[in-house]
């Protein structure tokens, strides 16, 4: 790994990081699912719901080790929404209007992959047995399909990885995870551009994470090494003046100067997810440094030094622009914040057990 050993940058300390809060997640949720957009902190009903965000909601709810009763009830609604979105062949609708009418036909886009990620996580981690059973049924139905889109396969592969961690004998999950890694491909030999694609677009850390997970869970050391090399290179690419500067809307291409805006919270969250997986798989504490960079991005250690969450509502701003944050607090961004703070809680617990009491 080529990223430098980096201590927590002042003035942000790990003790400054807030606990995950679900206030705004529940504010955006109703008896149907989770509303996609907000103007400031107020849900915009006219924009309806999408499987992408409901899947993310199920995922973060399932990750909670001690969920409050209202979060368990919300997870049940998210699961019911996803099973309603799924057709008999395992594909998913994505968009539903506020009057509960689907706006598209079932297919295998990114939302199919995110649905399987959320379902796989719920099947493996939910504290409610009835949620685990139904989530696993829907996961297996969707896992029979394959998408032609690498990111859709990567999202689905992460759901398969969750199932495999819970049951290493699950052949359906193992096949899906292996196929996801194959679709993504291997890193290149050019040290200036290791990435298997010719540009960095969106959700890039997810590609590295699923290769890491496949190498680990399928017992392929070479594949694990490839995934770690991809993630290390990406962390280097996204580090700017000592902090995380994620690939923005519009992407980056080789030999073209990087632009820095607009950055999306979901990209910082994906970086946190991938680094947390790398740390768990390898036991290497050096991954804690880029993980903390992703956490600190939300707290103001970013390109313009601005905090990206609303401490009053518990919501997260929708994007980081050259002029400051987009103050709308939609579902995707808020769930990205919650997901990252869940990793921060785990990192704080792990750091507290070390002799130095801090990041190594």
């Amino acid at each position: 790994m080529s990223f430098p050993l980096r201590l927590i940058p002042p003035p942000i300390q790990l003790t400054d990081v807030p606990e995950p809060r679900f206030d705004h997640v529940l504010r955006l949720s109703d008896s149907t699912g989770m509303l996609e957009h907000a103007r400031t902190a107020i849900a915009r009903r006219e924009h309806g719901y999408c499987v992408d965000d409901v899947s993310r909601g199920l995922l973060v709810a399932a990750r909670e080790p001690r969920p409050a009763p209202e979060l368990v009830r919300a997870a049940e609604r998210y699961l019911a929404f996803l099973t309603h979105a799924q057709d008999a062949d395992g594909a998913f609708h994505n968009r539903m209007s506020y009057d509960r009418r689907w706006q598209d036909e079932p297919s295998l886009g990114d939302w199919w992959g995110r649905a399987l990620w959320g379902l796989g996580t719920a099947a493996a981690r939910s504290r409610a047995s009835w949620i685990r059973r139904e989530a696993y049924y829907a996961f297996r139905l969707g896992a029979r399909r394959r998408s032609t889109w690498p990111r859709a396969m990567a999202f689905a592969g992460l759901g398969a990885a969750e199932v495999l961690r819970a049951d290493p004998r699950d052949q359906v999950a193992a096949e899906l995870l292996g196929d996801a890694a194959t679709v993504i491909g291997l890193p290149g030999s050019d040290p200036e551009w290791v990435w298997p694609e010719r540009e960095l677009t969106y959700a890039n850390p997810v590609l590295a994470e699923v290769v890491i997970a496949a190498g680990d869970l399928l017992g392929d050391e070479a594949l694990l090494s490839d995934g770690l090399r991809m993630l290390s290179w990406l962390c280097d690419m996204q580090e700017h003046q000592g902090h995380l500067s994620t690939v923005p809307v519009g992407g980056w291409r080789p030999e073209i100067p990087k632009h820095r805006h607009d950055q999306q919270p979901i990209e910082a969250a994906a970086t946190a997810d991938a680094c947390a997986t790398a740390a768990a798989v390898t036991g290497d504490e050096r991954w804690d440094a880029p993980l903390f960079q992703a956490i600190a991005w939300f707290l103001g250690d970013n390109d313009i030094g601005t905090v990206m969450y609303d401490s009053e509502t518990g919501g997260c701003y929708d994007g980081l622009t050259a002029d400051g944050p987009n103050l709308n607090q939609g579902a995707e961004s808020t769930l990205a914040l919650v997901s990252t703070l869940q990793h921060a809680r785990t990192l704080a617990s792990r750091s507290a057990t070390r002799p130095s009491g801090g990041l190594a």
Side-chain angles (χ1 to χ4, degrees), residues 6-359:
R6 179 169 177 259
L7 299 177
I8 300 174
I12 298 173
Q13 304 290 324
L14 193 52
T15 53
D16 297 330
V17 180
E19 286 288 314
R21 285 173 51 191
F22 288 86
D23 310 41
H24 195 54
V25 173
L26 296 175
R27 187 178 294 114
L28 294 173
S29 301
D30 62 13
S31 60
T32 298
M34 182 182 302
L35 291 155
E36 182 178 9
H37 291 139
R39 183 163 55 227
T40 62
I42 305 303
R44 300 193 68 176
R45 294 177 175 179
E46 68 272 25
H47 292 166
Y49 316 85
C50 70
V51 161
D52 282 318
D53 289 337
V54 174
S55 301
R56 294 181 181 109
L58 180 61
L59 186 151
V60 298
R63 284 179 173 177
E64 277 298 289
R66 292 177 295 278
E70 59 266 29
L71 185 59
V72 175
R73 289 193 292 270
E76 290 176 334
R77 293 194 295 273
Y78 304 154
L79 178 56
F81 185 96
L82 295 182
T83 58
H84 180 50
Q86 189 177 37
D87 71 7
D89 294 322
F92 286 83
H93 295 277
N94 186 28
R95 297 195 173 277
M96 175 186 276
S97 61
Y98 188 66
D99 62 0
R100 298 186 179 183
R101 297 176 185 271
W102 291 113
Q103 303 299 296
D104 54 14
E105 294 301 318
S107 60
L108 302 174
D110 282 0
W111 50 93
W112 165 81
R114 289 195 181 98
L116 292 190
W117 189 6
L119 291 167
T121 304
R125 296 206 208 183
S126 176
R127 307 300 294 179
S129 61
W130 61 94
I131 290 178
R132 291 197 304 271
R133 286 193 298 268
E134 179 64 14
Y136 183 62
Y137 179 89
F139 170 83
R140 284 183 63 90
L141 179 60
R144 299 184 308 186
R145 306 296 301 273
R146 296 293 184 268
S147 176
T148 58
W149 300 99
R151 279 161 179 76
M153 285 295 291
F155 297 134
L158 292 180
E162 292 281 5
V163 171
L164 268 182
R165 290 186 188 107
D167 181 5
R169 301 165 299 177
D170 194 299
Q171 193 60 32
V172 171
E175 290 175 1
L176 177 55
L177 179 57
D179 289 346
T182 299
V183 167
I184 290 163
L186 301 177
S189 58
D190 181 359
E192 297 299 315
W193 194 266
V194 167
W195 207 244
E197 300 174 324
R198 291 309 299 164
E199 60 181 324
L200 291 167
T201 55
Y202 68 97
N204 303 291
V206 172
L207 304 188
E209 184 182 1
V210 81
V211 174
I212 291 168
D216 175 47
L217 294 166
L218 302 180
D220 188 329
E221 289 292 331
L223 193 62
L224 173 59
S225 179
D226 285 336
L228 293 170
R229 185 158 67 96
M230 288 168 58
L231 183 58
S232 178
W233 178 85
L234 181 62
C235 288
D236 285 344
M237 288 287 286
Q238 293 192 137
E239 183 161 356
H240 179 59
Q241 298 178 350
H243 60 256
L244 177 67
S245 180
T246 67
V247 177
V249 173
W252 289 338
R253 295 160 186 82
E255 301 177 356
I256 296 176
K258 296 177 184 175
H259 64 289
R260 299 287 173 186
H261 302 287
D262 298 335
Q263 294 178 35
Q264 302 296 302
I266 195 67
E267 299 299 323
T271 301
D273 275 343
C275 291
T277 293
V281 165
T282 64
D284 190 339
E285 295 174 357
R286 288 180 294 175
W287 288 106
D288 290 351
L291 170 56
F292 187 78
Q293 283 186 339
I295 297 164
W297 185 92
F298 289 91
L299 276 66
D301 193 12
N302 50 48
D303 282 334
I304 64 171
T306 187
V307 173
M308 286 298 294
Y309 74 95
D310 184 333
S311 61
E312 183 177 11
T313 66
C316 181
Y317 303 130
D318 276 351
L320 181 65
T321 76
D323 300 319
N326 174 341
L327 295 179
N328 295 331
Q329 300 173 30
E332 176 188 280
S333 300
T334 296
L335 291 164
L337 169 68
V338 172
S339 170
T340 305
L341 294 182
Q342 289 175 323
H343 289 306
R345 179 176 57 199
T346 301
L347 179 59
S349 176
R350 194 163 71 241
S351 298
T353 66
R354 296 176 187 153
S356 63
L359 290 184

